[in-house]
Amino acid sequence: MSEVDMAVIKPEMMKSYIWLQTADGSIQQVEQEVAMFCPMICHEVIQKGMGSSKNYAISLPQRVNPAMLSLILDYCRFHQVPGRSNKERKSFDEKFIRMDTKRLCELTSAADSLQLKPLVDLTSRALARIIEGKSPEEIREIFHLPDDLTEEEKLEPLKNTTDDPRIRLLNRLYAKKRKELKERQKLKNIEVEEERVDDRSVDDLLSFINGDNGDSKGIKNSKSKKKNRRRKDQQKNTSANEAIKNHNKEPNGLNQVCHSAEVGQKVRAGVGATSNLHDVKDDIFDNKNELDDGDIDDEIDPALKEKIDREVEDFARRLNSDWPERMQEILSFGHERKPVHFSLNGNGSLRRYANSEQR
Amino acid sequence: MEGEGEEQTSIWNKETVPKVMKIVSTRLAQRDLISLLLLSPWIHRTLISYPSLWLSIDLREMNNAGDRLIAALSLPRYQHVKQISLEFAQDIDDDHLEVIKSKCLGSLQDLESLNLNGCQKISDKGIEAITSCCLKLKVFSIYWNVRAADEGVKHLVKNCKYIVDLNFSGCKHLSDKSLQLVADNYPELESLNLTRCVKMTDSGLQQVFVKCSFLQSLNLYALSSFTDEAYKKISVLSHLKFLDLCGAQNLSDDGLSCIAKCKKLVSLNLTCLFGIVGVTDKCLEALSKSCANTMTTLDVNGCIGIKRRSRDDLLKLFPYLRCFKVHS
């Protein structure tokens, strides 16, 4: 009896069903014409003869969980009916995609794995509309993406092929922060790729260096970086070891301010290494007297230089204050974490994202 | 249980979202793509690995554009950039372009479109520098640049042999010499905008008509010194679709009836602040005879010689007209 059950059923004899199995192991049967609307399933049935019984259920890709499968089948069930008008289909689609973004995302992924292009188009269009014009911070929130790890990834040294002193400084600061994070996160296993981080960091760096529009921290930072361009000791060697050797201090404040221009940086509080801040100050002022030949400083006019000097001093003073207070200061400048960067994004994106009507 | 949740999150972050972002990325503008890059290392890695996403650098209206452009061009992902727009960007000058020439030569090899509209600090020197890097350039636009002169065009034609779309609108120092250079070097030219290039005369224009027979779009807005001498020669442009003669004070029926020979005309603008008096209903009929099937835009708001110019009148002559006013 059971063997008869398992035998292949001739399609002409009764309404045909295709057997599908999702990654969690559950198996269901679906009307043939509905399931076959998915190219991937179609392929399995025709090319491999799968899906005709419970034992030969088609294993669906991992991205298709029962909930997503259900949605996809709803979509297929509607659209596979030939007689529908374009208007009807459009109307169905509009209602269909009304779901929270996370689900939309999962659905895109699932539909993609089943090669169901019309549904992928529909969902990805909706997602594009959601993403358009939003800041990375906002997007992260919508898609439930953490930014913990991005912080560490962003700390990889940049290739400094043009020997840009600003990049030298940034690499130094990254090294300091890396050490700090390493101590905190010794259990995490982060993959690192140099070229990738290069790109991102330069993006952030360059736009951030613009120091535009009332972002005082941003400006301070860029100015202090310009100040530090005078440093002669170059961060040409970008290996972590060397960095650790050179800079065994952790300028939390410096790094935090640095990262304040990074998108959506949740400022890490509670690492009160105030004793180290003093060294940072020395760092900054140590090389005041060093001159770099062919340094970009030449471009800055004296008035601006003076302003930079003042700002750096102010900055160092602030660094030396108590860490928690420092955190408060940074946290209170809410707008500064609305990024001033995306070098290739808005024009002074502070305008763009902090004040969207100015678009 | 916690481990499973963590794993779920990990899959979400490292696989699901990056894959979805990749799917969505083809529908996003450059600026949104950059936002995506900043979301997470996995999304970054995923998107960077698709070169087709990174063919355009959009620095429109940005400050520090010169530095940003240099930075962008030094990024590996822009090595094959095809389109760069610096329209109304600030803080970009010849020096930046010189730096690009000396350091970022490789990144511009595939550049096909360069928009320098409104970059008023760029002079012939900068044009020389940048055009020497992008030999495959097809579209070049340098609207409202009052420093550009014939010398710059000389460099352009020397370096870029494949130009099909040129916009010199507002470059008031360009003269017939530039037109000669264009005519001699760009026989395949399809689109030419000479708005307000007031130094140009009939003879220069004629050169272009004779040699650039594939022109589809010609903009002679605000150029009142041309005469029928030149306008009549437009008839040889058999592929012409868009013609803007706003301000063509000297245009008469003679000229326009020759223009009517361009059978593929889709859009014709004859507005004029002071009125194009020489054009009458007669030539509209001539125009209708040849272009009734193609004309969808016709602006005769400056032609006081045309008496029958109500919407209905025009529709009788040109049944497919949709647009009756070009410049508002």
Side-chain angles (χ1 to χ4, degrees), chain A residues 158-169 171 198 235-236 238:
Chain A
L158 302 171
K159 279 196 184 101
N160 196 354
T161 46
T162 52
D163 200 23
D164 187 337
R166 292 170 293 185
I167 297 181
R168 286 202 295 272
L169 171 65
N171 283 340
D198 276 350
Q235 189 72 355
K236 281 190 184 124
T238 58

PDB file of all heavy atoms in Angstrom, chain A residues 158-169 171 198 235-236 238:
ATOM      1  N   LEU A 158      45.245  52.308   4.892  1.00  0.00           N
ATOM      2  CA  LEU A 158      45.014  52.618   3.496  1.00  0.00           C
ATOM      3  C   LEU A 158      46.304  52.512   2.721  1.00  0.00           C
ATOM      4  O   LEU A 158      47.367  52.805   3.240  1.00  0.00           O
ATOM      5  CB  LEU A 158      44.505  54.052   3.357  1.00  0.00           C
ATOM      6  CG  LEU A 158      43.226  54.373   4.115  1.00  0.00           C
ATOM      7  CD1 LEU A 158      42.992  55.868   4.055  1.00  0.00           C
ATOM      8  CD2 LEU A 158      42.071  53.644   3.463  1.00  0.00           C
ATOM      9  N   LYS A 159      46.134  52.156   1.481  1.00  0.00           N
ATOM     10  CA  LYS A 159      47.322  52.217   0.620  1.00  0.00           C
ATOM     11  C   LYS A 159      47.593  53.682   0.362  1.00  0.00           C
ATOM     12  O   LYS A 159      46.717  54.419  -0.042  1.00  0.00           O
ATOM     13  CB  LYS A 159      47.009  51.539  -0.725  1.00  0.00           C
ATOM     14  CG  LYS A 159      47.113  50.048  -0.664  1.00  0.00           C
ATOM     15  CD  LYS A 159      47.198  49.460  -2.071  1.00  0.00           C
ATOM     16  CE  LYS A 159      47.201  47.955  -2.010  1.00  0.00           C
ATOM     17  NZ  LYS A 159      45.909  47.359  -2.307  1.00  0.00           N
ATOM     18  N   ASN A 160      48.792  54.039   0.578  1.00  0.00           N
ATOM     19  CA  ASN A 160      49.098  55.456   0.416  1.00  0.00           C
ATOM     20  C   ASN A 160      50.022  55.652  -0.766  1.00  0.00           C
ATOM     21  O   ASN A 160      51.173  56.042  -0.617  1.00  0.00           O
ATOM     22  CB  ASN A 160      49.729  55.978   1.707  1.00  0.00           C
ATOM     23  CG  ASN A 160      49.704  57.485   1.753  1.00  0.00           C
ATOM     24  OD1 ASN A 160      49.329  58.145   0.791  1.00  0.00           O
ATOM     25  ND2 ASN A 160      50.105  58.034   2.878  1.00  0.00           N
ATOM     26  N   THR A 161      49.530  55.369  -1.924  1.00  0.00           N
ATOM     27  CA  THR A 161      50.406  55.395  -3.092  1.00  0.00           C
ATOM     28  C   THR A 161      50.867  56.803  -3.430  1.00  0.00           C
ATOM     29  O   THR A 161      51.922  57.002  -3.996  1.00  0.00           O
ATOM     30  CB  THR A 161      49.684  54.822  -4.323  1.00  0.00           C
ATOM     31  OG1 THR A 161      48.380  55.402  -4.378  1.00  0.00           O
ATOM     32  CG2 THR A 161      49.560  53.320  -4.219  1.00  0.00           C
ATOM     33  N   THR A 162      50.031  57.749  -3.094  1.00  0.00           N
ATOM     34  CA  THR A 162      50.438  59.116  -3.420  1.00  0.00           C
ATOM     35  C   THR A 162      51.166  59.767  -2.249  1.00  0.00           C
ATOM     36  O   THR A 162      51.466  60.945  -2.268  1.00  0.00           O
ATOM     37  CB  THR A 162      49.207  59.973  -3.752  1.00  0.00           C
ATOM     38  OG1 THR A 162      48.265  59.825  -2.686  1.00  0.00           O
ATOM     39  CG2 THR A 162      48.576  59.493  -5.044  1.00  0.00           C
ATOM     40  N   ASP A 163      51.395  58.963  -1.233  1.00  0.00           N
ATOM     41  CA  ASP A 163      52.097  59.460  -0.052  1.00  0.00           C
ATOM     42  C   ASP A 163      51.424  60.699   0.523  1.00  0.00           C
ATOM     43  O   ASP A 163      52.065  61.676   0.876  1.00  0.00           O
ATOM     44  CB  ASP A 163      53.559  59.778  -0.393  1.00  0.00           C
ATOM     45  CG  ASP A 163      54.412  59.816   0.879  1.00  0.00           C
ATOM     46  OD1 ASP A 163      53.987  59.199   1.864  1.00  0.00           O
ATOM     47  OD2 ASP A 163      55.463  60.472   0.890  1.00  0.00           O
ATOM     48  N   ASP A 164      50.155  60.594   0.577  1.00  0.00           N
ATOM     49  CA  ASP A 164      49.369  61.697   1.098  1.00  0.00           C
ATOM     50  C   ASP A 164      49.513  61.755   2.624  1.00  0.00           C
ATOM     51  O   ASP A 164      49.217  60.789   3.313  1.00  0.00           O
ATOM     52  CB  ASP A 164      47.909  61.455   0.713  1.00  0.00           C
ATOM     53  CG  ASP A 164      47.014  62.628   1.063  1.00  0.00           C
ATOM     54  OD1 ASP A 164      47.382  63.417   1.956  1.00  0.00           O
ATOM     55  OD2 ASP A 164      45.960  62.749   0.440  1.00  0.00           O
ATOM     56  N   PRO A 165      49.942  62.877   3.130  1.00  0.00           N
ATOM     57  CA  PRO A 165      50.153  62.968   4.578  1.00  0.00           C
ATOM     58  C   PRO A 165      48.879  62.787   5.378  1.00  0.00           C
ATOM     59  O   PRO A 165      48.921  62.319   6.507  1.00  0.00           O
ATOM     60  CB  PRO A 165      50.705  64.380   4.787  1.00  0.00           C
ATOM     61  CG  PRO A 165      50.834  64.986   3.449  1.00  0.00           C
ATOM     62  CD  PRO A 165      50.350  64.055   2.399  1.00  0.00           C
ATOM     63  N   ARG A 166      47.766  63.120   4.770  1.00  0.00           N
ATOM     64  CA  ARG A 166      46.516  62.933   5.497  1.00  0.00           C
ATOM     65  C   ARG A 166      46.267  61.452   5.691  1.00  0.00           C
ATOM     66  O   ARG A 166      45.771  61.014   6.731  1.00  0.00           O
ATOM     67  CB  ARG A 166      45.367  63.554   4.712  1.00  0.00           C
ATOM     68  CG  ARG A 166      45.462  65.065   4.650  1.00  0.00           C
ATOM     69  CD  ARG A 166      44.463  65.628   3.680  1.00  0.00           C
ATOM     70  NE  ARG A 166      44.780  65.243   2.317  1.00  0.00           N
ATOM     71  CZ  ARG A 166      44.092  65.697   1.271  1.00  0.00           C
ATOM     72  NH1 ARG A 166      43.084  66.505   1.455  1.00  0.00           N
ATOM     73  NH2 ARG A 166      44.421  65.324   0.053  1.00  0.00           N
ATOM     74  N   ILE A 167      46.588  60.692   4.684  1.00  0.00           N
ATOM     75  CA  ILE A 167      46.405  59.251   4.795  1.00  0.00           C
ATOM     76  C   ILE A 167      47.397  58.664   5.785  1.00  0.00           C
ATOM     77  O   ILE A 167      47.079  57.735   6.526  1.00  0.00           O
ATOM     78  CB  ILE A 167      46.531  58.583   3.412  1.00  0.00           C
ATOM     79  CG1 ILE A 167      45.412  59.114   2.499  1.00  0.00           C
ATOM     80  CG2 ILE A 167      46.431  57.081   3.531  1.00  0.00           C
ATOM     81  CD1 ILE A 167      45.412  58.505   1.122  1.00  0.00           C
ATOM     82  N   ARG A 168      48.582  59.228   5.811  1.00  0.00           N
ATOM     83  CA  ARG A 168      49.555  58.767   6.800  1.00  0.00           C
ATOM     84  C   ARG A 168      48.983  58.913   8.203  1.00  0.00           C
ATOM     85  O   ARG A 168      49.052  58.004   9.020  1.00  0.00           O
ATOM     86  CB  ARG A 168      50.826  59.602   6.713  1.00  0.00           C
ATOM     87  CG  ARG A 168      51.691  59.307   5.506  1.00  0.00           C
ATOM     88  CD  ARG A 168      53.122  59.732   5.756  1.00  0.00           C
ATOM     89  NE  ARG A 168      53.274  61.165   5.926  1.00  0.00           N
ATOM     90  CZ  ARG A 168      53.478  62.029   4.928  1.00  0.00           C
ATOM     91  NH1 ARG A 168      53.541  61.585   3.700  1.00  0.00           N
ATOM     92  NH2 ARG A 168      53.598  63.314   5.167  1.00  0.00           N
ATOM     93  N   LEU A 169      48.439  60.062   8.455  1.00  0.00           N
ATOM     94  CA  LEU A 169      47.887  60.309   9.780  1.00  0.00           C
ATOM     95  C   LEU A 169      46.752  59.354  10.068  1.00  0.00           C
ATOM     96  O   LEU A 169      46.652  58.781  11.143  1.00  0.00           O
ATOM     97  CB  LEU A 169      47.382  61.758   9.865  1.00  0.00           C
ATOM     98  CG  LEU A 169      46.582  62.045  11.141  1.00  0.00           C
ATOM     99  CD1 LEU A 169      47.470  61.913  12.358  1.00  0.00           C
ATOM    100  CD2 LEU A 169      45.971  63.437  11.097  1.00  0.00           C
ATOM    101  N   ASN A 171      46.200  56.438   8.904  1.00  0.00           N
ATOM    102  CA  ASN A 171      46.693  55.086   9.169  1.00  0.00           C
ATOM    103  C   ASN A 171      47.223  54.951  10.582  1.00  0.00           C
ATOM    104  O   ASN A 171      47.025  53.927  11.239  1.00  0.00           O
ATOM    105  CB  ASN A 171      47.789  54.717   8.158  1.00  0.00           C
ATOM    106  CG  ASN A 171      47.197  54.358   6.815  1.00  0.00           C
ATOM    107  OD1 ASN A 171      46.027  54.037   6.715  1.00  0.00           O
ATOM    108  ND2 ASN A 171      48.012  54.411   5.787  1.00  0.00           N
ATOM    109  N   ASP A 198      40.378  50.006   1.681  1.00  0.00           N
ATOM    110  CA  ASP A 198      40.990  51.171   1.042  1.00  0.00           C
ATOM    111  C   ASP A 198      39.912  52.080   0.485  1.00  0.00           C
ATOM    112  O   ASP A 198      39.854  53.238   0.789  1.00  0.00           O
ATOM    113  CB  ASP A 198      41.831  50.714  -0.156  1.00  0.00           C
ATOM    114  CG  ASP A 198      43.189  50.283   0.280  1.00  0.00           C
ATOM    115  OD1 ASP A 198      43.540  50.517   1.439  1.00  0.00           O
ATOM    116  OD2 ASP A 198      43.900  49.713  -0.547  1.00  0.00           O
ATOM    117  N   GLN A 235      53.699  56.664   7.713  1.00  0.00           N
ATOM    118  CA  GLN A 235      53.064  55.375   7.924  1.00  0.00           C
ATOM    119  C   GLN A 235      53.076  54.619   6.610  1.00  0.00           C
ATOM    120  O   GLN A 235      52.059  54.249   6.065  1.00  0.00           O
ATOM    121  CB  GLN A 235      51.626  55.601   8.398  1.00  0.00           C
ATOM    122  CG  GLN A 235      50.916  54.340   8.866  1.00  0.00           C
ATOM    123  CD  GLN A 235      51.450  53.844  10.184  1.00  0.00           C
ATOM    124  OE1 GLN A 235      52.414  54.398  10.693  1.00  0.00           O
ATOM    125  NE2 GLN A 235      50.859  52.814  10.726  1.00  0.00           N
ATOM    126  N   LYS A 236      54.254  54.427   6.091  1.00  0.00           N
ATOM    127  CA  LYS A 236      54.331  53.748   4.805  1.00  0.00           C
ATOM    128  C   LYS A 236      54.083  52.275   4.988  1.00  0.00           C
ATOM    129  O   LYS A 236      53.427  51.613   4.205  1.00  0.00           O
ATOM    130  CB  LYS A 236      55.695  53.967   4.167  1.00  0.00           C
ATOM    131  CG  LYS A 236      55.753  55.331   3.536  1.00  0.00           C
ATOM    132  CD  LYS A 236      56.980  55.524   2.679  1.00  0.00           C
ATOM    133  CE  LYS A 236      56.991  56.957   2.177  1.00  0.00           C
ATOM    134  NZ  LYS A 236      58.219  57.659   2.539  1.00  0.00           N
ATOM    135  N   THR A 238      52.212  49.538   6.406  1.00  0.00           N
ATOM    136  CA  THR A 238      50.872  49.513   6.958  1.00  0.00           C
ATOM    137  C   THR A 238      50.587  48.276   7.780  1.00  0.00           C
ATOM    138  O   THR A 238      49.450  47.948   8.041  1.00  0.00           O
ATOM    139  CB  THR A 238      49.851  49.575   5.816  1.00  0.00           C
ATOM    140  OG1 THR A 238      50.097  48.472   4.956  1.00  0.00           O
ATOM    141  CG2 THR A 238      50.002  50.855   5.038  1.00  0.00           C
TER     142      THR A 238
END
